[in-house]
Amino acid sequence: MDTGDLISTTIAALSLIATAIVAYRQTRIQARLTAIEETRRREQAEALRHADIRAMVAGTPTALQLVLANDGPATAWEVWATELPVGSDDPPLFHGLDELEQAPATLRPGDRLPFPVLTLAETAERVQVVVSWKDEAGPHRESFTVQLP
């Protein structure tokens, strides 16, 4: 075996080793990417089961409304809410909100459920609204502090 054959054999061996290392690394990277993609798919599937219910105040100072909104991809059912004062003043009156306890609503994705606000002289400017609902992921209860203008 001459020097040229030895060099050729060494280069071929090194190429084979380098190819094996690259293949091993690519396999590990592909496995990590697959795991990340699977996690993302599971998270997306789980997110599709959740309604995203929010309580907010909308309208003008003379025509205020408390709005319950579903900004999520799933339908929320058995939606009801109650208000609690923040501080010592009485909470404002939300016309129709009390009826939700007897007849809870259903909010599909994108639905808005308005309740006109009646404010009196000694009405609190901030109100805590506690909203409960059920969706495909189960029961939920969330508290929102809304500011009245």
Side-chain angles (χ1 to χ4, degrees), residues 29-113:
I29 290 171
Q30 186 61 45
R32 278 191 262 160
L33 289 174
T34 301
I36 290 168
E37 184 65 24
E38 274 301 310
T39 301
R40 187 183 65 78
R41 279 192 208 121
R42 278 193 306 273
E43 288 171 354
Q44 283 179 336
E46 180 65 23
L48 292 175
R49 299 177 59 215
H50 286 273
D52 183 15
I53 304 298
R54 301 277 178 218
M56 63 195 89
V57 173
T60 65
T62 57
L64 287 177
Q65 294 181 329
L66 173 69
V67 178
L68 299 181
N70 182 1
D71 294 326
T75 297
W77 62 90
E78 295 186 31
V79 178
W80 64 274
T82 187
E83 76 278 353
L84 303 169
V86 175
S88 61
D89 292 333
D90 292 329
L93 299 173
F94 298 105
H95 182 69
L97 191 63
D98 292 337
E99 285 81 20
L100 275 182
E101 289 187 48
Q102 285 75 40
T106 297
L107 292 176
R108 290 175 185 78
D111 280 356
R112 304 278 188 262
L113 186 59

